Amino acid sequence: MMLDVSDVTVSYGPFLAVDRASLQVGAGETVGLAGTNGAGKSTLFAAIAGQIMADAGRMVFDGHAIMNHPAHQRARLGLCRTFQVPREFGRLSVLENLLVAAPGDRMETMWSAWFARGAMRHKTQQLTVQADGILEMLGMSGLRDLPAAGLSGGQKKLLELARVLMHRPRLILLDEPFAGVNPVRIGEVMEIFRRLKDSGIALLIVEHHLQALKALSSRLYVMDQGRVIAQGDPAEVLASRIVQDAYMGGVL
Ligand SMILES: Nc1ncnc2c1ncn2[C@@H]1O[C@H](COP(=O)(O)OP(=O)(O)OP(=O)(O)O)[C@@H](O)[C@H]1O
Ligand SMILES: [Mg+2]
């Protein structure tokens, strides 16, 4: 398994948001994570990506025990996430948003900007080529030079993904990538995820759009009140009694 999370617990003060959750993602696999509002999905993502520290459990990514790694170190190993609420820089252009997302030591970047402007220009050119390739793949080339603030909700979601792709990730945790996406464009976004999978990138997708999740994922986990309550074949999991009860028949 590329990602092996076992018995991870996360609390906010006295409140247990994630309760001994375990999940695995294989290399190149697309896995879904569903669950009602407040189930702990985003909290588990934050713990896996390193924005918050888990209280207990084990996490192994690509053979590395990552529990105590800071987020940037996990990203360097190829483990990246997008956020439920996009975090673009509104005044920067779409292209600039990608350039500033590129990994790199900021002090080093500043020194080389000062001492070796030529080298810096070369680096920026390389990153621009990479960014243009990503924008092309996501069908966003036409938005390249527009300020990010003017993008639609769905386009901002794609910009989140584009920024993450600058890290050349091997596993991306996607937090509600279809939220705010115009329903007529959901098929296009699904197609993008299929292309990412074909390029060998593993995906772990949190989503309330269960039909899309079912269509994309080879396996599905469901969380409820901090716990993983079901896992396995997506259609079987969604039809199971325990999942139906958790959703109280409302969403399914
Ligand atoms: N910073 C925080 N401080 C305290 N409690 C929090 C914090 N963030 C989340 N919670 C609580 O932890 C629980 C899990 O929240 P989380 O955002 O992980 O759920 P989720 O499954 O992602 O929900 P949604 O589907 O609505 O995004 C919720 O009860 C939430 O209110
Ligand atoms: Mg969430």
Side-chain angles (χ1 to χ4, degrees):
M1 283 294 160
M2 173 172 259
L3 175 69
D4 192 350
V5 170
S6 45
D7 292 324
V8 163
T9 294
V10 186
S11 44
Y12 296 112
F15 177 70
L16 200 54
V18 175
D19 185 5
R20 286 165 292 160
S22 300
L23 58 79
Q24 286 87 35
V25 181
E29 194 185 10
T30 300
V31 174
L33 175 57
T36 48
N37 290 118
K41 307 177 298 296
S42 294
T43 302
L44 181 58
F45 264 22
I48 297 173
Q51 282 84 37
I52 55 178
M53 289 293 155
D55 302 323
R58 281 178 296 120
M59 291 181 211
V60 177
F61 179 72
D62 201 23
H64 301 266
I66 57 167
M67 271 286 273
N68 297 315
H69 285 22
H72 67 88
Q73 213 172 329
R74 301 185 201 198
R76 211 177 297 147
L77 292 172
L79 172 58
C80 298
R81 73 170 295 192
T82 66
F83 288 89
Q84 189 167 343
V85 178
R87 299 185 165 193
E88 75 285 346
F89 295 102
R91 291 199 199 179
L92 299 187
S93 72
V94 166
L95 174 68
E96 287 163 345
N97 265 275
L98 268 66
L99 297 182
V100 297
D105 184 324
R106 280 181 204 287
M107 275 315 285
E108 188 188 304
T109 310
M110 280 166 61
W111 280 111
S112 57
W114 189 254
F115 286 115
R117 286 164 183 269
M120 191 58 196
R121 246 195 324 267
H122 181 64
K123 176 81 179 155
T124 306
Q125 275 165 3
Q126 277 181 335
L127 291 175
T128 303
V129 169
Q130 188 196 351
D132 278 331
I134 290 168
L135 291 175
E136 170 93 50
M137 202 268 285
L138 299 180
M140 297 178 78
S141 297
L143 305 171
R144 180 186 193 267
D145 299 312
L146 300 180
L151 300 183
S152 71
Q155 288 167 338
K156 285 180 179 174
K157 281 287 188 185
L158 283 182
L159 179 56
E160 274 281 296
L161 175 60
R163 286 162 53 83
V164 157
L165 288 171
M166 290 299 287
H167 288 262
R168 303 186 193 282
R170 301 177 56 221
L171 168 61
I172 311 175
L173 313 179
L174 293 157
D175 201 346
E176 300 198 18
F178 297 111
V181 174
N182 186 329
V184 301
R185 298 202 172 266
I186 282 183
E188 288 169 33
V189 178
M190 286 174 69
E191 196 44 47
I192 288 168
F193 294 156
R194 292 201 180 96
R195 253 179 276 150
L196 292 177
K197 178 184 164 57
D198 290 344
S199 72
I201 299 175
L203 304 173
L204 177 59
I205 309 177
V206 160
E207 203 23 79
H208 289 294
H209 192 307
L210 298 177
Q211 290 310 316
L213 207 53
K214 195 160 92 173
L216 288 167
S217 311
S218 56
R219 290 185 303 116
L220 179 67
Y221 292 88
V222 178
M223 285 182 76
D224 186 44
Q225 297 180 42
R227 299 201 175 156
V228 174
I229 58 163
Q231 59 179 293
D233 172 75
E236 283 174 25
V237 164
L238 291 176
S240 69
R241 182 66 193 267
I242 188 166
V243 172
Q244 293 277 337
D245 283 353
Y247 278 95
M248 292 186 295
V251 184
L252 308 179

